């Protein structure tokens, strides 16, 4: 009889202005924060032919790429 350890739980707050990602694992709950950045990620996405750009990088150039930015 082996007991399987549960994996991490990920939560996403997908907002109309900003989004946030959190995780709960053996270390406890915490918000994921990119190095040197805010935990709040702008809810902006730009679709390019070879990649998808999200967050501040997409928002910073939204007017230049208005037809491919949501």
């Amino acid at each position: 009889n082996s007991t399987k350890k549960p994996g991490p739980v990920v939560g996403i707050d997908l907002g109309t202005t900003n989004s946030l990602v959190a995780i709960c694992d053996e270390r406890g709950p915490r918000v994921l924060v990119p190095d040197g950045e805010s935990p709040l990620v702008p809810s902006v996405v730009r679709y390019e032919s070879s990649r998808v750009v999200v967050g501040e990088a997409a928002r910073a150039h939204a007017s230049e790429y208005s037809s491919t930015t949501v």
Side-chain angles (χ1 to χ4, degrees):
N1 184 14
S2 69
T3 304
K4 188 174 179 181
K5 220 171 137 180
V9 175
V10 176
I12 301 172
D13 175 4
L14 186 58
T16 56
T17 304
N18 292 296
S19 297
L20 182 129
V21 178
I23 187 170
C24 186
D25 59 12
E26 64 277 350
R27 292 176 36 204
R30 63 195 180 282
V31 174
L32 299 182
V33 181
D35 289 339
E37 296 183 32
S38 168
L40 293 177
V41 177
S43 298
V44 181
V45 179
R46 181 175 74 240
Y47 296 95
E48 296 182 350
S49 60
S50 61
R51 66 184 185 140
V52 176
V53 180
V54 299
E56 187 57 48
R59 182 171 68 178
H61 300 283
S63 62
E64 296 172 57
Y65 303 99
S66 61
S67 64
T68 58
T69 304
V70 179

